[in-house]
C-alpha cells in the first residue's frame, strides 16, 4: 500500500514543516506549490533538516488538467491541502481573488481525489470560521456566524463543501483542522516563515522589526475590552501543527475514524494578548522592541482561543511548545535568514 502523501502548498510555512514531520515518520511526500507566496528554498531547508529530497511540482491547482498529471504520476494514500491565500486584510480588498483561488483549488483537489480513488483528505481550516465569539474558549460546536472576511468565508465554504461531498461519498474520509495562530519556526532554526509578499502576521513583524527589516511595529488597537486592551489570540507552534497533520492523516489511513467527516480545533488553549506576545519576545531576545499603539485593524476579532479537548482525545496530540519557545524559534530563524 502507498504511504505517499500529496502536500499542496508544500513550500509554504505550515506545508514545509509538515513535510519534515512526515519524513520523520517514514512517509513519502510529493509537493505541489505554484510559489505564489513561498519559495522553493523551503525544499532545501527540508533537505538540510531531514536529508531527504522533496519531489515537487510547480502547478496552479486552479488548473485541473495540469493538476491531473500529478495524480496520474503517483499513487497517493492521502492529500493534505494547505495551498490557499491567507491574508485577511487582502481578502477584504480583493475578495474575488480569494473566492476563486481558495474555492476552485479545493474543488479540483476533491474531484481529482475521487477520479483517482484517493480516499483521505486533511483540509487547512482556520479559527477565523468562528468570527467574533460570545463565549470563550471556542470548541468545535461553537456557532459560526457570518464570516468577518472573505478569507474566513472561504474556510467556512471549504468545510461545508467537503462535508457535503463526504455525505454522498461514504468511502471518502476527511478532517478539517481549524488552526488558531501558527507561529515559530523549526527548532533547528533552519526552516521558518518566509513569505514573498510583505508579512502581515504579528510574529514575523515582531522579529522583522527586531532585526531592522522594518522600523516599527504598530499594535492594532489598545482599547479592546481585554485584560490589557490588545487583541487576544491562541498562538501555536508550527511544529505542533505539523505533528497534528501527521497524526490526522495516519488516523484516516488506518481507519481509526468513526465518522467520515470530522473537524478539530488546533490550538494550545492559552489566550495571549499582543502586548504579552511582545513581552515574551523581549524576554527571550533580551532586546527592547520598537512599537507603538495604533488604530484598530479592520476585520480583526477581539479575542479567540481554543478548547482543544476533542483533538487531544481523538488524535492523542499534545503541544510541545509554549509562547517562549515560539518566540525563541522564530527569532533564531530570523537571525539565520539575516546571515
Ligand atoms: C488571522 C486568522 C487566522 C489565520 C491568519 C492567517 C483570525 C482570528 N485569525 O489571524 O485564522 O490563520 O489570519 O493570516 O481571524 N497585530 C498587530 N500588529 C501587526 C500585526 C498583527 O497588532 O502589525 C495583531 C493583530 O491585530 C492580531 C494579532 O496581532 O490581534 C495577530 O494578528 P495576525 O498575526 O495578523 O493573525 P490574525 O489576524 O489573528
Amino acid at each position: 500500500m502507498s504511504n505517499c502523501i500529496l502536500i499542496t502548498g508544500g513550500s509554504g510555512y505550515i506545508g514545509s514543516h509538515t513535510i519534515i514531520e512526515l519524513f520523520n515518520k517514514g512517509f513519502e511526500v510529493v509537493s505541489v506549490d505554484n510559489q505564489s507566496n513561498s519559495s522553493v528554498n523551503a525544499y532545501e531547508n527540508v533537505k538540510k533538516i531531514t536529508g531527504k529530497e522533496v519531489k515537487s511540482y510547480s502547478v496552479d491547482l486552479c488548473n485541473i488538467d495540469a493538476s491531473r498529471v500529478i495524480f496520474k504520476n503517483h499513487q497517493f494514500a492521502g492529500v493534505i491541502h494547505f495551498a490557499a491565500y491567507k491574508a485577511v486584510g487582502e481578502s477584504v480588498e480583493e475578495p474575488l481573488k480569494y473566492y476563486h483561488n481558495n474555492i476552485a483549488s479545493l474543488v479540483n483537489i476533491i474531484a481529482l481525489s475521487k477520479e483517482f480513488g484517493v480516499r483521505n483528505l486533511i483540509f487547512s481550516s482556520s479559527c477565523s470560521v468562528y468570527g467574533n465569539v460570545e463565549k470563550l474558549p471556542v470548541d468545535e460546536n461553537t456557532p459560526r456566524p457570518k464570516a468577518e472576511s472573505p478569507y474566513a468565508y472561504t474556510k467556512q465554504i471549504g468545510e461545508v463543501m467537503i462535508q457535503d461531498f463526504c455525505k454522498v461519498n461514504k468511502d471518502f474520509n476527511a478532517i478539517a483542522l481549524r488552526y488558531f495562530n501558527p507561529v515559530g519556526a523549526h527548532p533547528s532554526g533552519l526552516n521558518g516563515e518566509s513569505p514573498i509578499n510583505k508579512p502581515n502576521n504579528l510574529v514575523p513583524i515582531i522579529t522583522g522589526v527586531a532585526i531592522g527589516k522594518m522600523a516599527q511595529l504598530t499594535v492594532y488597537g489598545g482599547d479592546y475590552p481585554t485584560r490589557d486592551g490588545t487583541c487576544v489570540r491562541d498562538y501555536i507552534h508550527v511544529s505542533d501543527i505539523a505533528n497534528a497533520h501527521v497524526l490526522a492523516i495516519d488516523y484516516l489511513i488506518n481507519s481509526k475514524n468513526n465518522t467520515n467527516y470530522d473537524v478539530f480545533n488546533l490550538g494550545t488553549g492559552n489566550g495571549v494578548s499582543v502586548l504579552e506576545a511582545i513581552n515574551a519576545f523581549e524576554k527571550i531576545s533580551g532586546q527592547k522592541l520598537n512599537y507603538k499603539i495604533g488604530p484598530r485593524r479592520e476585520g480583526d476579532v477581539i479575542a479567540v482561543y481554543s478548547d482543544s479537548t476533542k483533538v487531544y482525545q481523538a488524535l492523542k496530540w499534545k503541544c510541545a511548545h509554549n509562547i517562549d519557545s515560539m518566540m525563541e524559534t522564530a527569532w533564531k530563524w530570523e537571525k539565520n535568514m539575516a546571515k
Side-chain angles (χ1 to χ4, degrees):
M1 213 180 89
S2 160
N3 77 340
C4 184
I5 310 299
L6 176 64
I7 305 292
T8 76
S11 59
Y13 175 46
I14 308 178
S16 58
H17 284 88
T18 300
I19 294 176
I20 294 167
E21 302 306 331
L22 284 166
F23 277 157
N24 286 343
K25 294 282 163 5
F27 285 93
E28 276 183 54
V29 165
V30 169
S31 169
V32 50
D33 199 307
N34 66 352
Q35 271 79 54
S36 67
N37 190 26
S38 62
S39 125
V40 290
N41 292 345
Y43 300 137
E44 290 302 314
N45 300 343
V46 171
K47 193 173 173 191
K48 276 186 213 148
I49 293 166
T50 65
K52 293 196 177 156
E53 195 89 45
V54 183
K55 283 190 202 110
S56 67
Y57 291 81
S58 182
V59 163
D60 182 347
L61 294 167
C62 294
N63 180 338
I64 193 161
D65 292 329
S67 306
R68 183 175 286 109
V69 173
I70 307 167
F71 282 78
K72 267 192 186 143
N73 288 352
H74 306 271
Q75 200 195 338
F76 296 120
V79 179
I80 307 183
H81 181 47
F82 294 106
Y85 292 146
K86 61 156 199 157
V88 175
E90 185 187 53
S91 81
V92 175
E93 299 298 319
E94 295 184 76
L96 280 190
K97 177 175 168 179
Y98 276 69
Y99 290 123
H100 177 252
N101 184 63
N102 292 5
I103 307 294
S105 59
L106 177 59
V107 169
N108 289 347
I109 282 293
I110 298 173
L112 290 169
S113 294
K114 186 173 165 90
E115 192 179 322
F116 289 87
V118 181
R119 301 189 310 127
N120 302 306
L121 173 71
I122 310 295
F123 173 63
S124 296
S125 189
S126 163
C127 69
S128 59
V129 299
Y130 295 113
N132 264 315
V133 286
E134 280 171 14
K135 200 172 137 276
L136 289 166
V138 290
D139 67 24
E140 292 79 359
N141 297 319
T142 298
R144 291 177 301 288
K146 186 179 177 305
E148 296 279 326
S149 69
Y151 160 75
Y153 194 36
T154 66
K155 296 300 179 187
Q156 288 185 345
I157 297 169
E159 288 189 7
V160 173
M161 267 169 42
I162 297 170
Q163 190 170 19
D164 288 346
F165 181 81
C166 284
K167 267 186 210 147
V168 288
N169 290 273
K170 298 285 184 212
D171 60 346
F172 189 79
N173 303 290
I175 288 176
L177 294 175
R178 292 179 181 153
Y179 315 151
F180 282 66
N181 284 58
V183 298
H186 191 266
S188 64
L190 296 174
N191 192 43
E193 190 165 13
S194 49
I196 286 177
N197 304 325
K198 193 171 140 269
N200 46 53
N201 291 110
L202 180 66
V203 175
I205 296 177
I206 290 179
T207 56
V209 169
I211 205 99
K213 285 199 294 206
M214 290 156 250
Q216 191 179 44
L217 166 80
T218 302
V219 175
Y220 295 138
D223 58 351
Y224 282 105
T226 60
R227 51 184 174 265
D228 60 19
T230 65
C231 290
V232 170
R233 296 288 183 271
D234 186 337
Y235 298 96
I236 169 168
H237 194 278
V238 65
S239 296
D240 283 329
I241 296 226
N243 272 319
H245 287 78
V246 180
L247 293 172
I249 198 72
D250 182 72
Y251 180 82
L252 294 185
I253 291 172
N254 290 305
S255 308
K256 294 180 197 156
N257 51 320
N258 44 27
T259 166
N260 74 326
Y261 173 76
D262 217 341
V263 49
F264 298 111
N265 281 351
L266 274 192
T268 63
N270 300 319
V272 171
S273 75
V274 179
L275 291 179
E276 287 163 352
I278 293 172
N279 286 339
F281 175 79
E282 290 183 333
K283 189 179 84 183
I284 66 94
S285 67
Q287 190 167 327
K288 275 274 165 227
L289 193 78
N290 183 12
Y291 71 88
K292 63 164 195 224
I293 309 280
R296 294 180 176 194
R297 176 173 72 172
E298 202 192 332
D300 261 339
V301 303
I302 301 165
V304 66
Y305 53 92
S306 170
D307 176 334
S308 297
T309 313
K310 191 178 167 192
V311 69
Y312 293 150
Q313 286 173 352
L315 302 184
K316 314 279 178 267
W317 168 80
K318 273 202 189 82
C319 289
H321 299 269
N322 61 17
I323 189 76
D324 290 348
S325 153
M326 297 177 212
M327 291 298 176
E328 201 177 322
T329 53
W331 184 223
K332 194 171 173 185
W333 165 243
E334 186 73 72
K335 286 187 292 185
N336 268 352
M337 278 195 297
K339 276 181 191 160

